[in-house]
Structures are given as structure tokens and as C-alpha cells.
Amino acid sequence: MSKTIAVLSGGGLKGMAHIGVLRALRDLDIEIDEYIGTSMGSLIAAAAASGLSVEEMAEVACSIRRRDFIPSKWGFVRQTVQNALGLGGEDCGGLFSIRNYHDFVERILPVDDFGKLPKPLFVNAVNLRSSANVFWGLPGLDDIPVHEAVVSSCSMPGIFPPRQIKGETYVDGGVGDNLPISLAQLRGASLIIAITLGFRGAAAGAHSAAARGLGGGFRQIISSVMRQSAIAIRDKIESSLHFCRTPLVLLEIDVSDHDLLDFSGIDRLIERGHRLAIEMLRTHPAIMRVLHERAPGRHPAPLHFSKAKFVLDLDRCIGCGLCVLACPYDIFRMNGPRAELVVTNTDRCQQDHACENNCPADVIKVL
């Protein structure tokens, strides 16, 4: 039996672009059987798994205000004093209290029990004591409220305080693995749809945001923290892709130019996520095959062949094998730790640029 699992990465407020991607999947009749989410991706995954429609998610997202995530200036001053004096209790240890966000997540989720969710959900957090990724929702880890799991997954070190659950301390799952496709493989996925928010440009985007001066020293701090996280996330994702042997569709949504604290631009994030996902999904061979298998009459697999020339930069290839999975015409093959071209010129190409678009190292060019 086929199983399609969506893996949603973190990305702070930029993670709202996931809603647009889910809308694109819905528009193309691509059914998601299970959800795995990290940080902000866990919030969107939880909303989807609990039964919220993409329209309902978009409505909630566009109604978000800064106070739902970040306290007022006086709240920030109070938090700073509490941190300095060690009086903040569970709120101690971050620039901002996470109470507002906690209340927001608890309020919007229609189902708050892992066992009652319409679809399986797994939320990624990191246990600070063991340094291990923990996936709430797995057997033995499904006895806490869904909103608590999401909040623990969003507790970015330095920004929000660590989350205390059952005597253990948890932080943002992205610290360990921002795109945990390994869990999707263990769950027996026949197809993984992995959604990441432009990790190749994430570090540069965070840096440019800081360089523009986002309105004060504390925004500079946030941007610097995000930049460091983006660099670590990029390296971890490339490593995860290298070891993935399940058919995988990588949707890299470029939102690197979005202001980290622009709460007024959420509608644009959602629209961009939808537009970019549609462009990639409509021509991706793996998606075309799934749709054709489910409804051959409704979703034929058109083949528009043309001549093409391929260029592969072997020195920068990371050996993830996604080009082999993306191309059904044996243009690429694995040769030890790297991919190689079987032919450099062919007249049997759909010109959908799936190999190029799904290359996380950006080393393939279709001419």
C-alpha cells in the first residue's frame, strides 16, 4: 500500500509558506497520509493533521499579529530582568517569553490529542539532556497535548526559553534535524514530499536582513542567530538527502528575501509557496507518476520529448541521488559517492528541469 508523507521544515515566520505548498498539493489532488514537522513546520503540520483546511489555515495565519508571537516592549523588558535575576521560572532562558505563542497554538488547533488526530502527526524536538531528536506522536511519545509538542519544537535556543515536559528539557527540533526525512523512511513512506524554505539561500538571506538593519540591536541579534542556524541547517539537510533512498520530491521554496519579523507579509508568503510549489509539482516525474497511477483518465502522463544537453559539476556534487530519482530516462546514475551523466546529449527529455530544480547543491544545468 502506498504512503505519501509530507515533511515540513522549520523557518520561523517564513514557515507560513508551507500553507501555500499544502494548497498546491491539494489543488493537484495529492493526498498526504502522514505529516512530520519541525519548528514552524510542526505548527502547519499539526493544523493539517488535525483537520484544518488550507483556507482555514490561511485565514488564521493572516490574522496573526506580532503580539501572538512576541511580547510587547514592556514584556521584553520584564523578560530581560527575569533572565538577569533568574526569576523567570520556565520562561527564563530566552529573549522572549513563549507564553503568547503557547496560548496561540493551543487556541487554534481543533484537535489536541495525538490519538484523535484524523491523520498521523510527528513533531520534532530535541532533548537537551540526551541531545537526541524526539518525535512526539510516536508510540510512547503521544501522551502529551499536541500544542505542547508544537511549542517544544518551536523553542529556538536564545530566542525562546527551553520547554519543560515531564522533567525533561526540549528545544527547537531544527537544532538536530530541520528536515527529518529519515523518520519518513522509517515510517515506510513510498513517496516523501520534503518542503524546505530555501536552505541554499537561507544563510545569505538572514545575513542580508541583518545588514539592512532591521530596526535595532535586538533584531540584529535575532538575524545573527537565524543566520547561524541556517548554516547548520543547510549542512544537515544535505547530509540527510545523501542517505535518502526513498523516492523523494524536494520542494525548495525560496523565501530568503522575506523580513524575519514582517507580520504584514504572511499573505505574500502563502502565495509564493503556492506558486513555486505548483511550478515544481506539475512537471515532476514522481508526482506525475503518482497522479497517473491514481487516476489514469484524469491525470495522464504526457511525454513531450525534445533535445537537451546536460552539464554536471562533479566537484560540487554531494551524492544525494535526487537527480537519479527525478529523471525517469536514465540520464543520471550513481557512481560511488557522486552522480554522473550517462549521456550529455539526448533527444529523450521532457524539458521539465526536474533534475535541475531538485538538485540541492545546484550543480546541474539543462541547456
Short mmCIF file of all heavy atoms in Angstrom, two decimals, residues 8-24 38-45 47 52 54-66 68-69 101 104-105 108 150 154 195-197 253-255 258-275 277:
data_model
loop_
_atom_site.label_atom_id
_atom_site.label_comp_id
_atom_site.label_asym_id
_atom_site.label_seq_id
_atom_site.Cartn_x
_atom_site.Cartn_y
_atom_site.Cartn_z
N LEU A 8 7.78 18.82 6.76
CA LEU A 8 7.79 20.28 6.72
C LEU A 8 8.91 20.81 7.61
O LEU A 8 8.95 20.53 8.81
CB LEU A 8 6.45 20.86 7.19
CG LEU A 8 5.27 20.81 6.22
CD1 LEU A 8 4.89 19.38 5.86
CD2 LEU A 8 4.06 21.54 6.81
N SER A 9 9.81 21.59 7.03
CA SER A 9 10.94 22.12 7.77
C SER A 9 10.55 23.33 8.61
O SER A 9 9.46 23.89 8.46
CB SER A 9 12.06 22.53 6.81
OG SER A 9 11.73 23.76 6.17
N GLY A 10 11.48 23.75 9.47
CA GLY A 10 11.30 24.99 10.20
C GLY A 10 11.71 26.18 9.35
O GLY A 10 12.10 26.03 8.20
N GLY A 11 11.63 27.36 9.95
CA GLY A 11 11.99 28.56 9.20
C GLY A 11 11.44 29.83 9.81
O GLY A 11 11.36 30.85 9.14
N GLY A 12 11.04 29.75 11.10
CA GLY A 12 10.48 30.94 11.73
C GLY A 12 9.19 31.35 11.05
O GLY A 12 8.45 30.53 10.51
N LEU A 13 8.94 32.63 11.02
CA LEU A 13 7.70 33.14 10.43
C LEU A 13 7.59 32.79 8.95
O LEU A 13 6.49 32.67 8.41
CB LEU A 13 7.64 34.66 10.62
CG LEU A 13 6.30 35.33 10.31
CD1 LEU A 13 5.22 34.83 11.27
CD2 LEU A 13 6.42 36.84 10.38
N LYS A 14 8.73 32.58 8.30
CA LYS A 14 8.72 32.22 6.89
C LYS A 14 8.03 30.88 6.65
O LYS A 14 7.64 30.57 5.53
CB LYS A 14 10.15 32.16 6.35
CG LYS A 14 10.91 33.48 6.46
CD LYS A 14 12.32 33.34 5.92
CE LYS A 14 13.09 34.64 6.07
NZ LYS A 14 14.41 34.60 5.43
N GLY A 15 7.89 30.09 7.72
CA GLY A 15 7.24 28.79 7.61
C GLY A 15 5.79 28.88 7.18
O GLY A 15 5.19 27.86 6.80
N MET A 16 5.20 30.07 7.21
CA MET A 16 3.82 30.21 6.74
C MET A 16 3.71 29.87 5.25
O MET A 16 2.62 29.59 4.74
CB MET A 16 3.32 31.63 7.00
CG MET A 16 3.20 31.97 8.47
SD MET A 16 2.05 30.87 9.33
CE MET A 16 2.36 31.31 11.04
N ALA A 17 4.84 29.89 4.54
CA ALA A 17 4.83 29.49 3.12
C ALA A 17 4.39 28.04 2.96
O ALA A 17 3.92 27.64 1.89
CB ALA A 17 6.21 29.71 2.51
N HIS A 18 4.54 27.24 4.01
CA HIS A 18 4.10 25.84 3.95
C HIS A 18 2.60 25.75 3.63
O HIS A 18 2.17 24.79 2.98
CB HIS A 18 4.34 25.15 5.30
CG HIS A 18 5.77 24.80 5.56
ND1 HIS A 18 6.55 24.08 4.68
CD2 HIS A 18 6.57 25.06 6.63
CE1 HIS A 18 7.76 23.91 5.19
NE2 HIS A 18 7.80 24.50 6.36
N ILE A 19 1.83 26.72 4.08
CA ILE A 19 0.39 26.69 3.82
C ILE A 19 0.14 26.73 2.32
O ILE A 19 -0.72 26.01 1.79
CB ILE A 19 -0.32 27.86 4.53
CG1 ILE A 19 -0.13 27.74 6.05
CG2 ILE A 19 -1.80 27.89 4.17
CD1 ILE A 19 -0.67 28.94 6.82
N GLY A 20 0.88 27.58 1.62
CA GLY A 20 0.74 27.66 0.18
C GLY A 20 1.13 26.36 -0.51
O GLY A 20 0.49 25.95 -1.49
N VAL A 21 2.17 25.69 0.01
CA VAL A 21 2.58 24.42 -0.57
C VAL A 21 1.50 23.36 -0.37
O VAL A 21 1.17 22.60 -1.29
CB VAL A 21 3.91 23.95 0.05
CG1 VAL A 21 4.30 22.59 -0.52
CG2 VAL A 21 5.02 24.96 -0.21
N LEU A 22 0.91 23.33 0.82
CA LEU A 22 -0.17 22.37 1.08
C LEU A 22 -1.37 22.65 0.18
O LEU A 22 -2.06 21.73 -0.26
CB LEU A 22 -0.59 22.42 2.55
CG LEU A 22 0.46 21.95 3.57
CD1 LEU A 22 -0.12 21.96 4.98
CD2 LEU A 22 0.99 20.56 3.23
N ARG A 23 -1.60 23.92 -0.10
CA ARG A 23 -2.69 24.26 -1.02
C ARG A 23 -2.39 23.75 -2.43
O ARG A 23 -3.28 23.25 -3.13
CB ARG A 23 -2.91 25.77 -1.05
CG ARG A 23 -4.22 26.17 -1.74
CD ARG A 23 -4.44 27.66 -1.61
NE ARG A 23 -3.79 28.38 -2.70
CZ ARG A 23 -3.53 29.68 -2.68
NH1 ARG A 23 -3.81 30.39 -1.61
NH2 ARG A 23 -2.97 30.27 -3.71
N ALA A 24 -1.13 23.85 -2.84
CA ALA A 24 -0.73 23.34 -4.16
C ALA A 24 -0.93 21.83 -4.23
O ALA A 24 -1.42 21.29 -5.23
CB ALA A 24 0.72 23.70 -4.44
N THR A 38 8.84 20.21 11.81
CA THR A 38 9.87 20.77 12.68
C THR A 38 9.62 22.26 12.87
O THR A 38 9.36 22.97 11.89
CB THR A 38 11.27 20.57 12.08
OG1 THR A 38 11.54 19.18 11.95
CG2 THR A 38 12.35 21.21 12.95
N SER A 39 9.70 22.72 14.11
CA SER A 39 9.57 24.15 14.42
C SER A 39 8.28 24.70 13.81
O SER A 39 7.21 24.14 14.03
CB SER A 39 10.82 24.89 13.93
OG SER A 39 10.93 26.16 14.53
N MET A 40 8.36 25.79 13.02
CA MET A 40 7.14 26.33 12.45
C MET A 40 6.46 25.33 11.53
O MET A 40 5.23 25.31 11.40
CB MET A 40 7.44 27.62 11.68
CG MET A 40 6.20 28.35 11.17
SD MET A 40 5.04 28.81 12.48
CE MET A 40 5.96 30.12 13.28
N GLY A 41 7.24 24.46 10.92
CA GLY A 41 6.65 23.40 10.11
C GLY A 41 5.78 22.46 10.93
O GLY A 41 4.82 21.88 10.41
N SER A 42 6.11 22.32 12.22
CA SER A 42 5.29 21.45 13.08
C SER A 42 3.93 22.08 13.34
O SER A 42 2.93 21.37 13.48
CB SER A 42 6.01 21.17 14.40
OG SER A 42 6.01 22.30 15.26
N LEU A 43 3.88 23.41 13.41
CA LEU A 43 2.59 24.08 13.61
C LEU A 43 1.69 23.86 12.40
O LEU A 43 0.51 23.51 12.54
CB LEU A 43 2.80 25.57 13.84
CG LEU A 43 1.52 26.42 13.89
CD1 LEU A 43 0.62 25.98 15.04
CD2 LEU A 43 1.85 27.90 14.01
N ILE A 44 2.24 24.05 11.20
CA ILE A 44 1.44 23.88 9.98
C ILE A 44 1.06 22.41 9.82
O ILE A 44 -0.07 22.08 9.44
CB ILE A 44 2.21 24.38 8.75
CG1 ILE A 44 2.71 25.82 8.97
CG2 ILE A 44 1.33 24.30 7.52
CD1 ILE A 44 1.63 26.81 9.32
N ALA A 45 1.99 21.50 10.12
CA ALA A 45 1.69 20.07 10.03
C ALA A 45 0.60 19.68 11.02
O ALA A 45 -0.30 18.89 10.70
CB ALA A 45 2.96 19.26 10.28
N ALA A 47 -1.74 21.62 12.24
CA ALA A 47 -3.01 22.18 11.78
C ALA A 47 -3.61 21.30 10.68
O ALA A 47 -4.81 21.01 10.68
CB ALA A 47 -2.79 23.60 11.26
N LEU A 52 -7.72 21.06 9.84
CA LEU A 52 -7.95 22.40 9.31
C LEU A 52 -7.71 22.40 7.80
O LEU A 52 -6.74 21.82 7.32
CB LEU A 52 -7.01 23.41 9.97
CG LEU A 52 -7.35 23.90 11.38
CD1 LEU A 52 -6.31 24.89 11.85
CD2 LEU A 52 -8.73 24.54 11.42
N VAL A 54 -6.78 24.25 4.13
CA VAL A 54 -5.77 25.26 3.82
C VAL A 54 -6.37 26.66 3.86
O VAL A 54 -5.67 27.63 4.21
CB VAL A 54 -5.11 24.99 2.45
CG1 VAL A 54 -4.23 23.76 2.51
CG2 VAL A 54 -6.15 24.85 1.34
N GLU A 55 -7.64 26.77 3.54
CA GLU A 55 -8.29 28.08 3.63
C GLU A 55 -8.39 28.54 5.08
O GLU A 55 -8.14 29.72 5.38
CB GLU A 55 -9.69 28.03 3.00
CG GLU A 55 -9.70 27.94 1.48
CD GLU A 55 -9.41 26.53 0.97
OE1 GLU A 55 -9.50 25.58 1.78
OE2 GLU A 55 -9.09 26.39 -0.22
N GLU A 56 -8.73 27.62 5.97
CA GLU A 56 -8.80 27.97 7.39
C GLU A 56 -7.43 28.32 7.94
O GLU A 56 -7.28 29.27 8.72
CB GLU A 56 -9.42 26.81 8.17
CG GLU A 56 -10.89 26.60 7.90
CD GLU A 56 -11.42 25.30 8.50
OE1 GLU A 56 -10.66 24.30 8.53
OE2 GLU A 56 -12.59 25.29 8.94
N MET A 57 -6.41 27.56 7.52
CA MET A 57 -5.05 27.86 7.97
C MET A 57 -4.61 29.24 7.49
O MET A 57 -4.00 30.01 8.24
CB MET A 57 -4.08 26.80 7.46
CG MET A 57 -4.12 25.50 8.24
SD MET A 57 -2.79 24.38 7.73
CE MET A 57 -3.61 23.48 6.43
N ALA A 58 -4.91 29.55 6.23
CA ALA A 58 -4.52 30.85 5.68
C ALA A 58 -5.23 31.99 6.41
O ALA A 58 -4.63 33.04 6.68
CB ALA A 58 -4.84 30.90 4.18
N GLU A 59 -6.50 31.77 6.73
CA GLU A 59 -7.25 32.81 7.45
C GLU A 59 -6.64 33.07 8.83
O GLU A 59 -6.47 34.23 9.24
CB GLU A 59 -8.71 32.39 7.59
CG GLU A 59 -9.58 33.42 8.28
CD GLU A 59 -11.04 33.00 8.38
OE1 GLU A 59 -11.39 31.92 7.85
OE2 GLU A 59 -11.83 33.74 9.00
N VAL A 60 -6.30 31.99 9.53
CA VAL A 60 -5.68 32.15 10.84
C VAL A 60 -4.32 32.82 10.71
O VAL A 60 -3.98 33.74 11.46
CB VAL A 60 -5.52 30.77 11.54
CG1 VAL A 60 -4.66 30.90 12.79
CG2 VAL A 60 -6.89 30.20 11.89
N ALA A 61 -3.53 32.37 9.73
CA ALA A 61 -2.17 32.90 9.55
C ALA A 61 -2.20 34.40 9.26
O ALA A 61 -1.40 35.17 9.80
CB ALA A 61 -1.46 32.16 8.43
N CYS A 62 -3.12 34.81 8.40
CA CYS A 62 -3.18 36.23 8.02
C CYS A 62 -3.74 37.11 9.13
O CYS A 62 -3.65 38.34 9.05
CB CYS A 62 -4.00 36.39 6.74
SG CYS A 62 -3.19 35.71 5.27
N SER A 63 -4.31 36.49 10.15
CA SER A 63 -4.82 37.26 11.30
C SER A 63 -3.78 37.39 12.40
O SER A 63 -4.01 38.08 13.40
CB SER A 63 -6.09 36.60 11.86
OG SER A 63 -5.77 35.37 12.50
N ILE A 64 -2.63 36.72 12.24
CA ILE A 64 -1.59 36.75 13.27
C ILE A 64 -1.03 38.16 13.41
O ILE A 64 -0.80 38.86 12.43
CB ILE A 64 -0.45 35.77 12.92
CG1 ILE A 64 -0.94 34.33 13.03
CG2 ILE A 64 0.76 35.98 13.83
CD1 ILE A 64 0.07 33.31 12.55
N ARG A 65 -0.82 38.54 14.64
CA ARG A 65 -0.18 39.82 14.94
C ARG A 65 1.09 39.56 15.75
O ARG A 65 1.26 38.49 16.32
CB ARG A 65 -1.13 40.73 15.72
CG ARG A 65 -2.39 41.10 14.93
CD ARG A 65 -2.04 41.94 13.70
NE ARG A 65 -3.22 42.23 12.88
CZ ARG A 65 -3.55 41.56 11.80
NH1 ARG A 65 -2.81 40.52 11.41
NH2 ARG A 65 -4.61 41.88 11.10
N ARG A 66 1.94 40.55 15.79
CA ARG A 66 3.22 40.39 16.48
C ARG A 66 3.03 39.90 17.92
O ARG A 66 3.80 39.08 18.41
CB ARG A 66 3.96 41.73 16.47
CG ARG A 66 5.38 41.67 17.02
CD ARG A 66 5.99 43.06 17.05
NE ARG A 66 6.00 43.63 15.72
CZ ARG A 66 7.00 43.51 14.86
NH1 ARG A 66 8.07 42.83 15.21
NH2 ARG A 66 6.95 44.06 13.67
N ASP A 68 1.03 37.86 19.11
CA ASP A 68 0.77 36.43 19.22
C ASP A 68 2.06 35.63 19.35
O ASP A 68 2.04 34.49 19.83
CB ASP A 68 0.00 35.93 17.98
CG ASP A 68 -1.41 36.49 17.90
OD1 ASP A 68 -2.06 36.57 18.96
OD2 ASP A 68 -1.85 36.86 16.81
N PHE A 69 3.16 36.22 18.92
CA PHE A 69 4.45 35.53 18.96
C PHE A 69 5.43 36.21 19.91
O PHE A 69 6.18 35.55 20.62
CB PHE A 69 5.08 35.49 17.56
CG PHE A 69 4.46 34.49 16.64
CD1 PHE A 69 3.14 34.59 16.24
CD2 PHE A 69 5.21 33.43 16.16
CE1 PHE A 69 2.57 33.66 15.39
CE2 PHE A 69 4.65 32.49 15.30
CZ PHE A 69 3.33 32.61 14.92
N TYR A 101 2.83 32.65 22.38
CA TYR A 101 2.79 31.66 21.31
C TYR A 101 2.12 30.38 21.78
O TYR A 101 1.34 29.77 21.05
CB TYR A 101 4.22 31.37 20.83
CG TYR A 101 4.28 30.40 19.67
CD1 TYR A 101 3.73 30.73 18.43
CD2 TYR A 101 4.88 29.15 19.82
CE1 TYR A 101 3.78 29.84 17.37
CE2 TYR A 101 4.94 28.26 18.76
CZ TYR A 101 4.39 28.61 17.55
OH TYR A 101 4.44 27.73 16.50
N PHE A 104 -1.54 30.87 21.72
CA PHE A 104 -2.00 30.95 20.33
C PHE A 104 -2.14 29.55 19.73
O PHE A 104 -3.17 29.22 19.12
CB PHE A 104 -1.01 31.78 19.51
CG PHE A 104 -1.22 31.70 18.02
CD1 PHE A 104 -2.23 32.42 17.41
CD2 PHE A 104 -0.40 30.90 17.24
CE1 PHE A 104 -2.42 32.34 16.03
CE2 PHE A 104 -0.58 30.81 15.86
CZ PHE A 104 -1.60 31.54 15.26
N VAL A 105 -1.12 28.71 19.90
CA VAL A 105 -1.16 27.35 19.33
C VAL A 105 -2.28 26.54 19.96
O VAL A 105 -3.04 25.85 19.26
CB VAL A 105 0.20 26.64 19.53
CG1 VAL A 105 0.13 25.20 19.03
CG2 VAL A 105 1.31 27.40 18.82
N ILE A 108 -5.75 27.57 18.42
CA ILE A 108 -6.12 27.36 17.01
C ILE A 108 -6.26 25.89 16.62
O ILE A 108 -6.91 25.59 15.61
CB ILE A 108 -5.12 28.04 16.06
CG1 ILE A 108 -3.75 27.35 16.12
CG2 ILE A 108 -5.00 29.53 16.36
CD1 ILE A 108 -2.82 27.76 15.00
N VAL A 150 4.17 21.01 19.79
CA VAL A 150 4.49 22.06 18.81
C VAL A 150 5.32 23.16 19.45
O VAL A 150 6.32 23.63 18.88
CB VAL A 150 3.20 22.63 18.20
CG1 VAL A 150 3.50 23.88 17.36
CG2 VAL A 150 2.50 21.58 17.34
N CYS A 154 9.22 24.54 18.64
CA CYS A 154 9.46 25.92 18.20
C CYS A 154 10.32 26.72 19.17
O CYS A 154 10.52 27.92 18.96
CB CYS A 154 8.12 26.64 18.01
SG CYS A 154 7.10 25.98 16.67
N ILE A 195 9.57 19.58 2.22
CA ILE A 195 9.41 21.01 1.94
C ILE A 195 10.38 21.79 2.82
O ILE A 195 10.29 21.76 4.05
CB ILE A 195 7.97 21.47 2.23
CG1 ILE A 195 6.96 20.55 1.54
CG2 ILE A 195 7.77 22.92 1.79
CD1 ILE A 195 5.56 20.62 2.12
N THR A 196 11.32 22.45 2.18
CA THR A 196 12.29 23.25 2.91
C THR A 196 12.25 24.68 2.37
O THR A 196 11.90 24.90 1.20
CB THR A 196 13.71 22.67 2.79
OG1 THR A 196 14.61 23.46 3.56
CG2 THR A 196 14.18 22.63 1.35
N LEU A 197 12.59 25.62 3.21
CA LEU A 197 12.41 27.02 2.87
C LEU A 197 13.72 27.63 2.38
O LEU A 197 14.33 28.47 3.03
CB LEU A 197 11.86 27.79 4.07
CG LEU A 197 10.54 27.20 4.59
CD1 LEU A 197 10.09 27.91 5.85
CD2 LEU A 197 9.46 27.26 3.52
N ILE A 253 11.42 26.09 -1.33
CA ILE A 253 10.67 27.33 -1.52
C ILE A 253 11.54 28.51 -1.08
O ILE A 253 11.88 28.64 0.09
CB ILE A 253 9.36 27.31 -0.69
CG1 ILE A 253 8.56 26.04 -1.00
CG2 ILE A 253 8.55 28.56 -0.97
CD1 ILE A 253 8.17 25.87 -2.45
N ASP A 254 11.90 29.33 -2.03
CA ASP A 254 12.83 30.44 -1.75
C ASP A 254 12.08 31.62 -1.14
O ASP A 254 11.35 32.34 -1.82
CB ASP A 254 13.52 30.87 -3.04
CG ASP A 254 14.57 31.95 -2.79
OD1 ASP A 254 14.83 32.25 -1.60
OD2 ASP A 254 15.12 32.48 -3.76
N VAL A 255 12.25 31.80 0.16
CA VAL A 255 11.66 32.95 0.86
C VAL A 255 12.76 33.71 1.60
O VAL A 255 12.52 34.37 2.60
CB VAL A 255 10.57 32.50 1.86
CG1 VAL A 255 9.34 32.00 1.12
CG2 VAL A 255 11.09 31.40 2.79
N HIS A 258 12.42 37.45 2.58
CA HIS A 258 11.32 37.91 3.43
C HIS A 258 11.86 38.35 4.79
O HIS A 258 12.67 37.66 5.40
CB HIS A 258 10.29 36.81 3.62
CG HIS A 258 9.05 37.26 4.34
ND1 HIS A 258 8.01 37.89 3.69
CD2 HIS A 258 8.71 37.21 5.65
CE1 HIS A 258 7.07 38.18 4.57
NE2 HIS A 258 7.47 37.79 5.76
N ASP A 259 11.41 39.49 5.26
CA ASP A 259 11.81 40.02 6.56
C ASP A 259 11.39 39.05 7.66
O ASP A 259 10.24 38.62 7.73
CB ASP A 259 11.13 41.39 6.78
CG ASP A 259 11.65 42.12 8.00
OD1 ASP A 259 12.02 41.45 8.99
OD2 ASP A 259 11.69 43.36 7.98
N LEU A 260 12.34 38.71 8.52
CA LEU A 260 12.07 37.75 9.58
C LEU A 260 10.92 38.17 10.49
O LEU A 260 10.24 37.34 11.07
CB LEU A 260 13.33 37.56 10.44
CG LEU A 260 14.51 36.86 9.77
CD1 LEU A 260 15.74 36.98 10.65
CD2 LEU A 260 14.18 35.41 9.52
N LEU A 261 10.72 39.47 10.63
CA LEU A 261 9.71 39.97 11.56
C LEU A 261 8.59 40.72 10.86
O LEU A 261 7.92 41.55 11.46
CB LEU A 261 10.38 40.88 12.61
CG LEU A 261 11.46 40.22 13.46
CD1 LEU A 261 12.10 41.24 14.39
CD2 LEU A 261 10.89 39.06 14.26
N ASP A 262 8.38 40.41 9.58
CA ASP A 262 7.34 41.10 8.82
C ASP A 262 6.02 40.34 8.95
O ASP A 262 5.71 39.45 8.16
CB ASP A 262 7.75 41.22 7.35
CG ASP A 262 6.71 41.98 6.52
OD1 ASP A 262 5.76 42.52 7.12
OD2 ASP A 262 6.86 42.03 5.29
N PHE A 263 5.24 40.69 9.96
CA PHE A 263 3.97 40.01 10.19
C PHE A 263 2.90 40.46 9.19
O PHE A 263 1.85 39.84 9.10
CB PHE A 263 3.50 40.27 11.62
CG PHE A 263 4.27 39.50 12.66
CD1 PHE A 263 5.50 39.96 13.10
CD2 PHE A 263 3.78 38.32 13.18
CE1 PHE A 263 6.22 39.25 14.05
CE2 PHE A 263 4.49 37.60 14.12
CZ PHE A 263 5.72 38.07 14.56
N SER A 264 3.18 41.52 8.46
CA SER A 264 2.19 42.01 7.50
C SER A 264 2.31 41.31 6.15
O SER A 264 1.47 41.50 5.28
CB SER A 264 2.36 43.52 7.30
OG SER A 264 3.62 43.80 6.69
N GLY A 265 3.35 40.51 5.95
CA GLY A 265 3.58 39.90 4.65
C GLY A 265 3.24 38.42 4.58
O GLY A 265 3.69 37.72 3.67
N ILE A 266 2.45 37.92 5.53
CA ILE A 266 2.15 36.49 5.57
C ILE A 266 1.36 36.04 4.34
O ILE A 266 1.59 34.96 3.81
CB ILE A 266 1.40 36.14 6.87
CG1 ILE A 266 2.36 36.30 8.07
CG2 ILE A 266 0.84 34.73 6.82
CD1 ILE A 266 1.72 36.06 9.42
N ASP A 267 0.45 36.87 3.88
CA ASP A 267 -0.33 36.50 2.69
C ASP A 267 0.58 36.33 1.48
O ASP A 267 0.37 35.43 0.65
CB ASP A 267 -1.41 37.54 2.41
CG ASP A 267 -0.85 38.95 2.24
OD1 ASP A 267 0.27 39.22 2.73
OD2 ASP A 267 -1.53 39.79 1.61
N ARG A 268 1.63 37.14 1.38
CA ARG A 268 2.57 37.01 0.26
C ARG A 268 3.40 35.74 0.39
O ARG A 268 3.73 35.11 -0.62
CB ARG A 268 3.47 38.25 0.20
CG ARG A 268 2.73 39.54 -0.09
CD ARG A 268 3.69 40.68 -0.41
NE ARG A 268 4.58 41.00 0.69
CZ ARG A 268 4.27 41.83 1.68
NH1 ARG A 268 3.08 42.41 1.71
NH2 ARG A 268 5.14 42.09 2.65
N LEU A 269 3.74 35.36 1.62
CA LEU A 269 4.47 34.11 1.83
C LEU A 269 3.64 32.92 1.37
O LEU A 269 4.14 32.01 0.70
CB LEU A 269 4.81 33.95 3.31
CG LEU A 269 6.02 34.70 3.86
CD1 LEU A 269 6.08 34.56 5.37
CD2 LEU A 269 7.31 34.19 3.23
N ILE A 270 2.37 32.92 1.73
CA ILE A 270 1.48 31.81 1.36
C ILE A 270 1.34 31.74 -0.16
O ILE A 270 1.42 30.66 -0.76
CB ILE A 270 0.10 31.98 2.02
CG1 ILE A 270 0.24 31.87 3.55
CG2 ILE A 270 -0.88 30.94 1.50
CD1 ILE A 270 -1.03 32.19 4.31
N GLU A 271 1.16 32.89 -0.79
CA GLU A 271 1.01 32.92 -2.24
C GLU A 271 2.28 32.45 -2.94
O GLU A 271 2.23 31.71 -3.92
CB GLU A 271 0.65 34.33 -2.70
CG GLU A 271 0.49 34.48 -4.20
CD GLU A 271 -0.50 33.49 -4.79
OE1 GLU A 271 -1.53 33.20 -4.14
OE2 GLU A 271 -0.25 32.98 -5.91
N ARG A 272 3.44 32.87 -2.43
CA ARG A 272 4.69 32.43 -3.05
C ARG A 272 4.87 30.93 -2.90
O ARG A 272 5.29 30.24 -3.83
CB ARG A 272 5.88 33.16 -2.45
CG ARG A 272 7.20 32.76 -3.11
CD ARG A 272 8.41 33.43 -2.50
NE ARG A 272 8.40 34.86 -2.69
CZ ARG A 272 9.43 35.65 -2.37
NH1 ARG A 272 10.52 35.13 -1.83
NH2 ARG A 272 9.36 36.94 -2.56
N GLY A 273 4.56 30.41 -1.71
CA GLY A 273 4.67 28.97 -1.50
C GLY A 273 3.80 28.20 -2.48
O GLY A 273 4.22 27.18 -3.04
N HIS A 274 2.59 28.70 -2.71
CA HIS A 274 1.67 28.04 -3.64
C HIS A 274 2.20 28.11 -5.07
O HIS A 274 2.24 27.09 -5.79
CB HIS A 274 0.30 28.70 -3.55
CG HIS A 274 -0.72 28.12 -4.49
ND1 HIS A 274 -1.02 28.69 -5.71
CD2 HIS A 274 -1.48 26.99 -4.40
CE1 HIS A 274 -1.94 27.96 -6.31
NE2 HIS A 274 -2.24 26.93 -5.54
N ARG A 275 2.63 29.27 -5.49
CA ARG A 275 3.09 29.46 -6.87
C ARG A 275 4.32 28.61 -7.18
O ARG A 275 4.37 27.90 -8.20
CB ARG A 275 3.39 30.93 -7.13
CG ARG A 275 3.98 31.23 -8.51
CD ARG A 275 4.12 32.72 -8.74
NE ARG A 275 4.88 33.37 -7.70
CZ ARG A 275 6.21 33.38 -7.64
NH1 ARG A 275 6.92 32.75 -8.57
NH2 ARG A 275 6.84 34.02 -6.67
N ALA A 277 5.45 25.97 -5.57
CA ALA A 277 5.17 24.54 -5.45
C ALA A 277 4.44 24.02 -6.69
O ALA A 277 4.76 22.94 -7.20
CB ALA A 277 4.35 24.26 -4.20
#
